[in-house]
Amino acid sequence: MSATALSSALARRDVSAREVLAAHIARIDAVDPRVRAFTEVLREHAAADADASDARRSRGEARGALDGVPVTIKECYDVAGRPTTLGIPAWRGRVAERDAAMVVALRDAGAVVLGRTNLSQTMLYVESKNPIFGQTANPWSMGHSPGGSSGGEAAAIAAGMSPLGLGTDIGGSIRTPASFCGIAGFKPSLDRLPMQGYRSVNPGQETVRAMAGPLARTVDDLVLFLRALDPRRLSALDPRVPPVALEEPERVSTRGLRVGTYTDDGVLPASVALGRAVARAGAALEARGCEVRPFHPPDVRDLLAAYIGALSADGAVRIRAVLASGDVDPSIDALRRVVAFPPAVRKVASRLARVFGQSGLALLLDATGEKTVDGLWQITLALREHRAKLLDAMVEQGVDALVGPAYATPALPHGGSRGFTLASSYSMLFNAHQFPAGVIPVTRVRPEEARRPRARDGLARRAAAVDAKSAGLPVGVQVAARPWQDSLVLALMKAVESEVAGDDGFPATPVEPRG
């Protein structure tokens, strides 16, 4: 059952919170030994939460739509008395003294915190594997990743082990796993939700900030999650959050909206199946009264250089420090080494990369590395200027919202994130500019779509290798709009979902783990 269906069943007293919890734990016991989505199942704590919910309902004191509904939490959020590790062996002893603000808010709403889920080590690459908790598999194909860094959440939800999850997103970490696993995910506008008690390896880096957000199997479930949280309480938990309620997406009319679509952002063209998914989403929105037209996002390569420059401005000093003792996942180790190259070495390597047609590698080499204070300020200015340029382009091209891929390809085979950072450009754009953005599933890769034209560039060659193994995997589309137009994004997501859910090939979940 979806989270919305569970909420209704609990409200009618058709089931108890304890029964709902037992069903999900039975599913975890049956499925998770293969998928490995969970870092821990909070059996005793969840049972206490469920019993408290049932007691409230018996007294007529239910706290709202989430009361008794199981929710899973990405491992980067503090849970009192539990370590928050980010998959870093040296952090095994970092036991939280109190719950993160989002965990407090969910418990205040009556949610049953079922467990915590896996992530990439340091949360900086598009898989969910690390030396502590191992590798999470994609339920659609055990040889593929669910994405990252919120991939444990996506896998748990896609496999029916959780109806609703809490992730984070600084470069597609909610939206990419949602697209890879055939579910829905939403990154709200910056500061819509509190981030106190969220842990990262670069806590002082604020030029590009992460955002909390929900993952679920339907758009209605995303809305259920967001509506159930009191904005005044959220603001009290984190003063950055304005006490402003989410406008009801059902009241947002899609008729007459102008939507821009694209499948090539100038960094890496999207896979054939993703192009078909975007076209199908455009047709779905036209059926709902939208005017759909092509859109051309401006200067995304320049934006990526500034984005990566901001995240690597300390020259990887912090990452090297936290990874100095203990095992390091190969995916983050390769990135760590590139960032730490001396400037002269990086400059020569960049020139050689260009000579051999490796423009993506050259961009990474040019952008990474330690910055002066003035250099960081210039990067911050460049990001703000590019945001204005994107907003201007939306006005000039006459669009209210954007629809495109969330990632350049379908799900990656295990280990496929190495050297493939720039494939996240479609999501990174909206982190850098603080737009609300969400993903809905649309279709699955057809056998004849598991291909890509030959190319010299290393990034395109890697994409071709991913595509060659992608037949049958789910793909979704990303919807984005201007900051604080979260309800508009959710309304458009719902419109697409309503039109495509009956299509042949729609990636219906929960799915039995395959392969």
Side-chain angles (χ1 to χ4, degrees):
M1 298 174 74
S2 69
T4 302
L6 287 170
S7 177
S8 296
L10 286 162
R12 294 191 305 266
R13 307 286 295 276
D14 291 344
V15 293
S16 68
R18 199 39 127 68
E19 289 172 323
V20 171
L21 173 63
H24 284 88
I25 287 180
R27 179 69 172 176
I28 292 167
D29 289 343
V31 169
D32 203 48
R34 285 196 291 157
V35 176
R36 301 183 71 178
F38 283 81
T39 63
E40 59 180 335
V41 181
L42 302 173
R43 296 172 188 265
E44 293 182 5
H45 290 281
D49 286 347
D51 289 344
S53 175
D54 287 334
R56 286 192 296 272
R57 286 200 185 275
S58 69
R59 299 190 303 266
E61 298 173 358
R63 293 178 178 176
L66 281 185
D67 207 335
V69 176
V71 176
T72 40
I73 307 290
K74 187 177 177 180
E75 200 261 2
C76 61
Y77 287 101
D78 283 348
V79 174
R82 323 296 298 184
T84 305
T85 71
L86 276 62
I88 299 167
W91 284 10
R92 279 193 174 104
R94 291 180 53 154
V95 176
E97 295 182 1
R98 60 181 63 86
D99 289 342
M102 277 301 302
V103 177
V104 172
L106 287 166
R107 284 187 164 139
D108 284 352
V112 174
V113 179
L114 173 59
R116 303 169 82 196
T117 53
N118 206 16
L119 69 184
S120 58
Q121 188 177 31
T122 73
M123 301 194 293
L124 290 176
Y125 53 97
V126 185
E127 298 187 62
S128 290
K129 61 190 180 81
N130 59 73
I132 297 180
F133 304 114
Q135 178 174 270
T136 301
N138 190 321
W140 290 91
S141 166
M142 301 301 285
H144 284 77
S145 172
S149 58
S150 306
E153 280 300 324
I157 292 164
M161 294 184 281
S162 170
L164 197 58
L166 174 66
T168 63
D169 194 317
I170 197 172
S173 289
I174 288 172
R175 290 160 290 154
T176 299
S179 185
F180 282 11
C181 291
I183 64 169
F186 184 65
K187 180 196 77 67
S189 294
L190 187 67
D191 291 328
R192 170 72 74 177
L193 297 174
M195 294 296 283
Q196 296 283 358
Y198 149 82
R199 303 301 168 190
S200 76
V201 290
N202 290 317
Q205 189 289 118
E206 296 221 340
T207 304
V208 180
R209 289 169 50 207
M211 190 63 242
L215 298 96
R217 289 194 286 274
T218 70
V219 177
D220 284 344
D221 290 354
L222 301 177
V223 175
L224 177 84
F225 179 103
L226 294 165
R227 272 194 188 153
L229 304 177
D230 181 354
R232 294 167 298 179
R233 177 61 171 150
L234 300 181
S235 185
L237 291 167
D238 185 343
R240 283 183 163 180
V241 178
V244 177
L246 178 77
E247 181 185 358
E248 294 186 8
E250 293 89 343
R251 295 183 178 179
V252 177
S253 174
T254 58
R255 187 159 299 280
L257 288 175
R258 299 163 300 175
V259 178
T261 62
Y262 62 100
T263 56
D264 186 349
D265 64 357
V267 178
L268 178 63
S271 302
V272 174
L274 282 157
R276 177 169 60 84
V278 171
R280 177 67 184 101
L285 291 174
E286 286 181 329
R288 292 301 180 104
C290 296
E291 180 183 338
V292 177
R293 59 185 66 173
F295 181 77
H296 304 284
D299 302 332
V300 176
R301 292 182 71 89
D302 292 342
L303 174 278
L304 277 186
Y307 173 96
I308 293 166
L311 292 182
S312 64
D314 74 334
V317 169
R318 184 68 63 87
I319 291 176
R320 290 204 304 272
V322 301
L323 298 178
S325 60
D327 294 336
V328 179
D329 188 272
S331 297
I332 192 63
D333 191 46
L335 185 59
R336 176 183 63 166
R337 292 176 186 276
V338 169
V339 174
F341 281 170
V345 173
R346 199 163 47 249
K347 190 172 183 179
V348 171
S350 173
R351 287 176 179 171
L352 288 173
R354 283 192 167 82
V355 168
F356 288 99
Q358 307 303 310
S359 61
L361 176 58
L363 189 157
L364 277 172
L365 289 166
D366 289 340
T368 55
E370 188 173 359
K371 312 296 188 299
T372 64
V373 172
D374 181 66
L376 181 57
W377 287 350
Q378 292 301 317
I379 286 172
T380 305
L381 175 62
L383 288 169
R384 300 300 176 260
E385 290 178 341
H386 192 280
R387 183 189 192 194
K389 187 179 293 187
L390 177 59
L391 290 166
D392 287 346
M394 291 178 70
V395 172
E396 291 164 4
Q397 298 180 46
V399 298
D400 303 301
L402 303 173
V403 173
Y407 194 81
T409 68
L412 303 176
H414 291 307
S417 65
R418 295 183 67 180
F420 207 44
T421 301
L422 297 186
S424 293
S425 59
Y426 291 92
S427 286
M428 290 173 176
L429 175 65
F430 301 117
N431 292 101
H433 298 329
Q434 305 162 7
F435 281 30
V439 164
I440 55 281
V442 174
T443 188
R444 294 169 61 192
V445 182
R446 296 169 178 168
E448 66 272 16
E449 294 173 328
R451 57 176 174 77
R452 185 180 283 258
R454 292 193 177 199
R456 184 184 179 196
D457 183 75
L459 193 65
R461 290 205 308 271
R462 287 180 183 273
V466 172
D467 285 350
K469 298 179 179 180
S470 66
L473 293 176
V475 290
V477 300
Q478 176 176 222
V479 181
R482 294 172 176 83
W484 296 103
Q485 293 190 341
D486 302 53
S487 293
L488 172 61
V489 172
L490 291 162
L492 290 169
M493 291 170 64
K494 178 64 177 177
V496 172
E497 179 187 69
S498 298
E499 291 288 329
V500 306
D503 289 358
D504 289 339
F506 177 77
T509 51
V511 62
E512 291 295 325
R514 303 176 185 181

